[in-house]
Amino acid sequence: MLENNILNKIAEEHNLNNAKFNRLTGGDINDVFLITSEEKKQVVKINNAEKFPGMFEAEKAGLEVLQKPKVIDVPNILGIGKIENTSYLLLEYKESTAKSSTFWEDFGKQMAALHRTTSEEFGFHRDNYIGSLPQQNNAAASAANFYISERLEPQLKIAKDRGYDLGVTRSFFSNISAIIPDEKPSLIHGDLWGGNYLVNGNDDPCLIDPATVFSQPEMDLSMMQLFGGFDKELFNSYKKDFPLVSGFEERIRLWQLYYLLVHLNLFGAGYKAQVTSIIKQFS
């Protein structure tokens, strides 16, 4: 099989002797495998290099930036490359354990610490991906400008090109500009749903598959509440260390709009009603 041939070449490139491969659960974009060799266990992600150019380079950059503050665990990057038409990213394997009694409290504290890592501008030093869709990260001086120009407008254009009439008005953009708080940008994961963290061997949270950017911390918190999977104790713990700007509860659906637009553009019209409801609410 072509797939096995690629995996064997990756193992050979990284001197992984007598490597065995087991498929792990992954998304629609990447194939993910556990590599067990004489030396260690590692995880490798592979995808089509032409279909998703630069995806793993962007993920590598995001993981490195998330790792830099040393406040929350992320996998170490062990290798990156391209074999024939296949890109790959080789990562540290994290043994997964059950949640401890303090897991959610610790998770909240660690997310607060991550969000205290700031930048002078909103954005990121390179574009990346949200799911399989390109995500642009041009610098912006304000939270509202960044959210509108770098998040909503690109997704709204994709939706329009795919034939969705979402009823966006000029008043919508002016209204949301007025209610988005102008905080300093925080380092955020950017796509933190329940499938993008695991419990590592030390009973601590470990973030995976980021769409890293310096943006509103409320974006992470809102995404975490969109599909569930996070205990309320995490949010209570977070707020003790990182008090939220007044009115956050009223802004949650606004931040969730971006992620719902992504889902609309990736998975189809089943998400249109939620998208149009939020647009109407803020118009």
Side-chain angles (χ1 to χ4, degrees):
M1 286 178 60
L2 177 61
E3 191 175 80
N4 286 341
N5 182 45
I6 296 295
L7 293 172
N8 281 314
K9 286 183 178 180
I10 293 170
E12 184 179 344
E13 245 183 44
H14 293 274
N15 301 311
L16 303 176
N17 297 311
N18 295 321
K20 294 181 173 62
F21 312 103
N22 296 99
R23 185 180 290 273
L24 301 175
T25 55
D28 299 325
I29 310 161
N30 307 312
D31 292 309
V32 186
F33 297 88
L34 173 65
I35 304 179
T36 304
S37 67
E38 291 178 359
E39 294 76 21
K40 62 182 76 174
K41 290 182 178 180
Q42 301 182 3
V43 171
V44 66
K45 303 169 72 170
I46 63 175
N47 69 22
N48 186 304
E50 291 183 3
K51 195 172 181 181
F52 305 110
M55 177 176 281
F56 290 147
E57 288 81 2
E59 182 172 345
K60 176 178 180 287
L63 288 169
E64 288 172 341
V65 172
L66 290 173
Q67 193 175 51
K68 194 172 182 180
K70 298 182 179 179
V71 296
I72 194 164
D73 191 28
V74 299
N76 289 316
I77 299 116
L78 304 176
I80 188 169
K82 180 181 174 183
I83 295 175
E84 298 172 11
N85 194 37
T86 299
S87 295
Y88 73 86
L89 182 65
L90 193 63
L91 299 166
E92 174 189 10
Y93 172 68
K94 295 287 185 178
E95 294 282 354
S96 188
T97 61
K99 298 179 182 72
S100 69
S101 60
T102 62
F103 175 80
W104 291 115
E105 179 183 359
D106 295 340
F107 201 167
K109 289 179 179 177
Q110 291 176 27
M111 287 300 298
L114 182 70
H115 289 169
R116 284 198 297 272
T117 304
T118 62
S119 173
E120 292 304 311
E121 293 181 315
F122 290 83
F124 199 56
H125 65 271
R126 62 167 297 151
D127 293 341
N128 47 28
Y129 283 79
I130 179 82
S132 61
L133 297 176
Q135 178 174 259
Q136 63 187 49
N137 294 312
N138 296 311
S142 76
N145 286 345
F146 182 80
Y147 190 55
I148 291 170
S149 67
E150 303 303 298
R151 291 296 176 262
L152 294 185
E153 288 183 342
Q155 293 299 324
L156 288 167
K157 182 181 185 305
I158 294 172
K160 183 178 180 181
D161 290 345
R162 294 183 180 179
Y164 296 113
D165 180 8
L166 302 178
V168 179
T169 62
R170 288 185 180 180
S171 63
F172 169 73
F173 291 114
S174 60
N175 289 345
I176 67 173
S177 293
I179 67 171
I180 291 176
D182 198 15
E183 299 178 276
K184 288 192 73 172
S186 290
L187 177 58
I188 70 170
H189 177 281
D191 189 18
L192 194 48
W193 65 285
N196 279 350
Y197 80 89
L198 52 83
V199 187
N200 69 21
N202 295 320
D203 302 330
D204 289 322
C206 176
L207 303 182
I208 59 173
D209 298 341
T212 312
V213 68
F214 285 91
S215 186
Q216 286 289 103
E218 293 182 359
M219 288 198 73
D220 267 351
L221 298 178
S222 299
M223 178 56 165
M224 292 162 76
Q225 295 181 58
L226 182 56
F227 300 117
F230 297 89
D231 193 273
K232 65 179 181 180
E233 189 175 352
L234 181 157
F235 300 102
N236 292 336
S237 172
Y238 177 97
K239 292 172 190 176
K240 290 177 184 176
D241 282 10
F242 197 112
L244 297 171
V245 176
S246 176
F248 166 63
E249 296 296 329
E250 288 73 42
R251 291 188 295 272
I252 289 176
R253 273 169 51 87
L254 176 58
W255 301 120
Q256 289 176 343
L257 175 60
Y258 173 63
Y259 298 107
L260 290 167
L261 278 166
V262 169
H263 278 71
L264 173 68
N265 290 328
L266 285 175
F267 306 117
Y271 291 92
K272 183 182 177 184
Q274 287 173 279
V275 167
T276 54
S277 172
I278 296 171
I279 291 171
K280 183 177 181 181
Q281 176 184 341
F282 291 97
S283 292

